[in-house]
Amino acid sequence: MGLKRTKLLGIQAVTGINTVGILTVGVTPTAGGVGVASTTYLRGVVMHNTGLGTATSSLYVYPNGVSDISVGQTAYRLARVDIASNETFFYEMNYPLVLVDGEKIVVEVTPPASGGTGIGSVVNYQILGDTDI
C-alpha cells in the first residue's frame, strides 16, 4: 500500500461536556474520499474553543480492544489543556505517532480545572496526518 496524503477527517466539533471517539483506524473513512484509514500517521491536532468560556480539552489514543470510550482514561492521554474562549491550541509531535488497526483517537471536553461549568463549550478538532490506503 502507498502512503496517501489526504485529509484524514473534517473538522470535528464537540459540544458540551463530552468524550468522543473521532477516528478508529480500519473503520473511519477519510474526509478526502480515498477510502478507509488503515495505518495512520498522526502528526498533530488543532483544538479551537468556539464556546462561551474556558474548557479543558484532552486528547487520547486508545489501543485496539478498548471499547469503553465514554470517559477519558488517563493511561491513554497525550495532552490536556485549558483553552479560553476563541483560543487555539496546537499539539504536534516531532515524529508521527503510528496508529494501526482498531486504535482510536479520542477527544474530551470537561470543565476547566480553574473553575467553571464548561457548559456552552464547543471545541473544534482538526486531525493532521497521513494514512496508508
Side-chain angles (χ1 to χ4, degrees), residues 109-123:
V109 178
T110 56
S114 59
T117 63
I119 295 174
S121 299
V122 179
V123 178

Side-chain angles (χ1 to χ4, degrees), residues 1-90:
M1 297 190 145
L3 186 64
K4 182 68 176 177
R5 296 183 65 89
T6 185
K7 188 174 194 175
L8 289 176
L9 292 173
I11 294 174
Q12 303 292 304
V14 177
T15 303
I17 306 306
N18 212 345
T19 304
V20 179
I22 59 174
L23 184 136
T24 301
V25 177
V27 176
T28 306
T30 63
V34 295
V36 172
S38 60
T39 301
T40 299
Y41 306 90
L42 177 65
R43 292 184 295 136
V45 179
V46 179
M47 306 172 189
H48 178 74
N49 183 357
T50 64
L52 303 174
T54 300
T56 298
S57 176
S58 299
L59 171 67
Y60 302 85
V61 173
Y62 281 55
N64 188 4
V66 176
S67 59
D68 181 13
I69 60 169
S70 61
V71 295
Q73 297 182 31
T74 57
Y76 307 128
R77 185 169 54 211
L78 296 180
R80 179 179 178 165
V81 62
D82 284 351
I83 304 176
S85 181
N86 295 314
E87 187 175 85
T88 301
F89 175 77
F90 183 58

